[in-house]
């Protein structure tokens, strides 16, 4: 990667295994709140609904509190599970409280970060909430690898808005021409970064995408 000095990573679904940690969190809070639902069935319904509400959140169509409440409310409605608004509020807060306690990372995360940190300055750009994301980074022992962390709360906008990338570049004291973004979301991470003049690598598999993409983190060692 000629001319690249700074690598920016997304956090959830890229380094931090959000789906696995989320399932473990729901197992914890269902047990504590005596929610009698099959966890597997709940997760199958929850994942696409959660993605839908995060897309609305990225687009500025709902606020943080609406995201947290409505995603659970809709899942319980689909599953025809009787609950109250107060219980949904309690569960949504418990979810945020317990989520950073589970910190499974994708395979080879530490190996790759150890390799990259000796060659580049590493950073995070995430649409996640400030307190939760910093707890995840600290509890998972990822914090020492990153020179800067930019959340959407810091920047006042969410990916793919180019302002969050410009904010992160300023914070890192670097330039778009010297920077590359790695993330799992083509719209938020890849298209957003490219719109701000950065290079980008898609972490995932999409045959229709013709740019750089990797399906596991270890492949980054071949690129860098």
């Amino acid at each position: 990667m000629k001319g690249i000095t700074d690598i920016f990573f997304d956090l959830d679904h890229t380094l931090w295994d959000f789906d696995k940690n989320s399932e473990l969190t729901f197992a914890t809070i269902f047990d504590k709140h005596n929610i009698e639902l099959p966890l597997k069935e709940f997760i199958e319904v929850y994942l696409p609904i959660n993605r839908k509400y995060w897309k609305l959140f990225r687009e500025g169509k709902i606020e943080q509190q609406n995201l947290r409440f409505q995603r659970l409310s809709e899942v319980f409605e689909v599953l025809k599970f009787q609950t109250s608004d107060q219980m949904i509020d309690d569960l949504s807060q418990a979810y945020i409280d317990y989520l950073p306690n589970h910190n499974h990372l994708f395979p080879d995360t530490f190996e790759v970060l150890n390799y990259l940190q000796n060659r580049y300055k590493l950073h995070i750009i995430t649409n996640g909430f400030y307190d939760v994301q910093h707890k995840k980074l600290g509890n998972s022992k990822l914090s020492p690898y990153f020179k800067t962390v930019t959340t959407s709360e810091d920047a006042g906008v969410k990916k793919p808005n180019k302002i969050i990338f410009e904010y992160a570049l300023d914070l890192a004291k670097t330039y778009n021409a010297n920077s590359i973004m790695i993330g799992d979301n083509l719209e938020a991470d890849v298209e957003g970064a490219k719109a701000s003049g950065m290079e980008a690598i898609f972490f995932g598999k999409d045959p229709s995408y013709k740019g750089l993409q990797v399906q596991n983190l270890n492949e980054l060692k071949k690129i860098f």
Side-chain angles (χ1 to χ4, degrees):
M1 274 290 167
K2 190 175 179 180
I4 297 296
T5 59
D6 293 75
I7 300 175
F8 293 80
F9 281 92
D10 176 45
L11 182 58
D12 295 334
H13 304 286
T14 301
L15 300 174
W16 199 83
D17 192 341
F18 184 90
D19 289 348
K20 185 170 186 176
N21 294 321
S22 183
E23 182 171 347
L24 290 169
T25 302
F26 278 118
T28 299
I29 63 175
F30 277 18
D31 181 59
K32 288 183 177 294
H33 289 264
N34 298 314
I35 302 297
E36 296 182 359
L37 270 174
L39 185 62
K40 186 174 184 297
E41 181 181 359
F42 174 87
I43 293 297
E44 287 175 354
V45 174
Y46 173 80
L47 288 177
I49 288 175
N50 185 51
R51 284 194 293 269
K52 178 181 75 172
Y53 279 102
W54 268 101
K55 187 173 190 301
L56 293 172
F57 181 68
R58 283 199 309 271
E59 294 169 350
K61 294 178 179 177
I62 58 171
E63 297 299 321
Q64 173 181 323
Q65 197 56 41
N66 300 122
L67 163 68
R68 292 176 175 178
F69 181 89
Q70 291 178 23
R71 63 185 175 185
L72 285 183
S73 178
E74 184 169 330
V75 172
F76 288 133
E77 185 178 342
V78 170
L79 294 172
K80 295 180 171 53
F81 184 81
Q82 295 297 315
T83 187
S84 65
D85 287 356
Q86 183 60 56
M87 176 58 76
I88 293 172
D89 279 334
D90 292 344
L91 291 174
S92 66
Q93 185 57 52
Y95 177 80
I96 297 302
D97 291 340
Y98 284 102
L99 184 61
N101 296 338
H102 301 285
N103 287 284
H104 290 274
L105 304 176
F106 281 100
D108 304 316
T109 293
F110 287 120
E111 178 185 343
V112 170
L113 292 178
N114 281 319
Y115 171 84
L116 293 175
Q117 73 171 350
N118 295 322
R119 295 163 174 79
Y120 305 90
K121 289 179 285 185
L122 307 182
H123 313 272
I124 291 285
I125 307 178
T126 172
N127 277 351
F129 308 124
Y130 180 93
D131 289 342
V132 177
Q133 299 305 77
H134 278 274
K135 285 178 183 175
K136 289 177 185 175
L137 288 165
N139 291 349
S140 63
K141 298 179 171 53
L142 288 175
S143 291
Y145 291 96
F146 299 102
K147 302 290 187 184
T148 68
V149 176
T150 296
T151 71
S152 53
E153 287 185 75
D154 296 316
V157 295
K158 308 168 194 71
K159 297 179 292 184
N161 191 315
K162 69 177 184 178
I163 291 174
I164 191 173
F165 295 96
E166 292 167 352
Y167 180 100
L169 290 167
D170 286 343
L171 187 64
K173 296 181 171 58
T174 190
Y175 303 96
N176 53 9
N178 304 117
S179 303
I180 191 165
M181 178 74 194
I182 301 168
D184 71 291
N185 190 292
L186 280 172
E187 177 190 13
D189 299 312
V190 176
E191 293 174 15
K194 288 186 173 182
S196 70
M198 299 169 65
E199 290 291 338
I201 296 174
F202 174 52
F203 179 58
K205 184 178 181 180
D206 187 334
S208 67
Y209 178 64
K210 303 308 179 186
L212 275 174
Q213 56 184 310
V214 297
Q215 293 178 52
N216 61 73
L217 294 173
N218 207 38
E219 293 178 55
L220 293 174
K221 291 165 68 175
K222 298 176 184 177
I223 297 174
F224 296 102

